Amino acid sequence: MDQIILQARGICRDFGGFRAVDDVNLDVKAGQIHAIIGPNGAGKTTMFNLLTKFLPPSAGQIILDGADITHSGPADVASDGMVRSFQISSTFGRLTALQNVRIALMRPGGGTFRFWATHRDMDRYNERALGLLSAVGLETWAHTQAASMPYGRKRALELATTLALEPKVLLLDEPMAGMGQEDIETITTLIRSLSGARTIIIVEHNLKVVSSLADTISVMVRGRVVAEGDYKTVSSDPNVKAAYLGSSHD
């Protein structure tokens, strides 16, 4: 469990004359849930985009499972086993939950998305798709159109489609955004159940969620990591109290 699966070394990102991420180092351990938190404008979303290669760094190095991915693209790192979700649910609304997962399952096979495939050809994905839906608590929603599902269930479906890509590192961008308490509890339990077998990196504003989920927390303020450790360690850090816990937050 002490294996480092994702490293960031001296990562910087400049936008014109503004440095949004400033010399950040991260060591993410395999099988753990690692949270990145901070007040608005701290640079955590920019850092998330740098790790997933949606932004190139201005300086520094990113290493995934021993391989340098600093100059790789998003599709390349996804193929290497690092997959992200987004704040806004990105399912196909007119397709059923089962159909959404079946489409995602086509990718690891190395083929193109053959939308013209016959029903018989697509049915070979059913068993695995139903297993993934069951893993996220959606076994009874398999034949429901995604557009008709409650918001929390849509986010669970998005997790199922993400898991279909067989990630070894899963990055979740504010997975609780826009949810009510019941959905938050459901998705929190789901994320916790996924850890161990895979590494999870999460950007999240909800401190209650972070305290119950994260093994390690990196706190960013003004583009830099000012504290790191478990929740007890970072919540007692004076820099965190001054810059984050003492400010208004969700």
Side-chain angles (χ1 to χ4, degrees), residues 22-219:
D22 187 9
D23 195 27
V24 168
N25 297 313
L26 288 178
D27 287 316
V28 179
K29 294 181 179 180
Q32 288 198 353
I33 299 177
H34 192 122
I36 301 175
I37 68 172
N40 290 334
K44 56 189 183 297
T45 297
T46 301
M47 187 65 198
F48 194 88
N49 288 330
L50 290 165
L51 292 175
T52 53
K53 310 311 301 161
F54 280 74
L55 284 174
S58 301
Q61 185 180 36
I62 301 173
I63 299 171
L64 173 64
D65 203 13
D68 190 330
I69 62 166
T70 308
H71 302 294
S72 299
D76 297 321
V77 298
S79 296
D80 290 337
M82 186 162 68
V83 179
R84 69 171 290 176
S85 71
F86 295 85
Q87 290 185 32
I88 300 173
S89 181
S90 54
T91 55
F92 295 101
R94 293 190 177 184
L95 300 184
T96 66
L98 179 65
Q99 289 169 330
N100 269 276
V101 179
R102 289 195 313 190
I103 289 174
L105 283 170
M106 295 174 70
R107 182 61 184 90
T112 57
F113 294 102
R114 294 175 296 149
F115 293 103
W116 58 87
T118 65
H119 284 293
R120 179 177 298 178
D121 192 37
M122 293 297 293
D123 284 347
R124 65 191 177 97
Y125 295 104
N126 283 354
E127 183 176 356
R128 176 65 177 143
L130 289 169
L132 287 167
L133 289 173
S134 178
V136 299
L138 293 179
E139 58 271 23
T140 61
W141 297 80
H143 301 292
T144 303
Q145 279 192 340
S148 302
M149 298 170 69
Y151 184 71
R153 301 294 181 178
K154 288 180 184 177
R155 297 313 299 261
L157 175 57
E158 184 181 57
L159 279 174
T161 59
T162 303
L163 292 173
L165 301 177
E166 301 177 0
K168 51 189 173 184
V169 181
L170 176 61
L171 296 100
L172 304 177
D173 188 8
E174 298 196 24
M176 311 301 171
M179 289 189 185
Q181 186 57 41
E182 182 178 349
D183 286 334
I184 287 175
E185 292 174 359
T186 298
I187 300 300
T188 298
T189 300
L190 172 57
I191 292 172
R192 188 181 296 113
S193 73
L194 298 176
S195 65
R198 56 187 53 79
T199 306
I200 299 173
I201 302 173
I202 181 172
V203 169
E204 179 56 55
H205 277 101
N206 190 314
L207 293 182
K208 183 178 180 181
V209 168
V210 170
S211 67
S212 67
L213 276 180
D215 300 295
T216 302
I217 302 169
S218 297
V219 184

